[in-house]
Amino acid sequence: MNENDSCIVDLNRSLLQDGPKFLSHRLIITGETAYLKPTITAMLFCVIYIVVGGFLISLATYLLIVSTKYDLTIFVGAFGIAITTFGLSLIQPFLSRASFDRESGIFNNHKDRDVKLYQIVSLQINNKIIQRKHALNYACYELNLLTEHGRRINILNHNDQQQLIQDAELLGSFLGVEVHDCRREIIL
């Protein structure tokens, strides 16, 4: 690429194809650190799968001891293991916190490479419609950070528009960057 060529990034395209229909995280600012904390409802949603799976595994163990119906025992046990594994995979993203630390000058989301805070040029709110083949469609919103090197990293993704805007404004103020909303002009 020579210096006259430019790299065009489509900022209206959403980074993620899916998103939760519920409020999954809230922005918390304490001193020199801002981080995303999962909501209780998001954690309970995941824990329900783990509890139900654990119950089915216990039931399979009981059936193994009391009954001679090995096919039912294997089915219930395998189903319990599958549901528990699904619940554990759902809860993993909630357990690793994305954080902005002004003391170290680093953004860390435990997925992408760390970003130096001075390299963040703005925040972006993107909206999209999640289309389901056999269910209702719903709106979902993304909060992304944009760096001076052209990277765009997803920070937050859910359907509570007002909470996402509020979190974006708080984070923009914390970082000292502007927030761009793709549906409106600059909001900060």
Side-chain angles (χ1 to χ4, degrees), residues 14 52-53 58 61 75 79 86 91 138:
S14 18
V52 168
S58 300
T61 305
F75 175 76
F79 195 61
F86 180 69
I91 208 166
Y138 62 92

Side-chain angles (χ1 to χ4, degrees), residues 156-180:
L156 189 55
N157 190 24
H158 59 71
N159 86 329
D160 189 335
Q161 180 183 15
Q162 293 305 323
Q163 184 64 49
L164 191 96
I165 290 170
Q166 181 183 6
D167 288 345
E169 289 173 342
L170 278 170
L171 187 57
S173 177
F174 177 80
L175 295 172
V177 299
E178 41 185 40
V179 177
H180 295 276

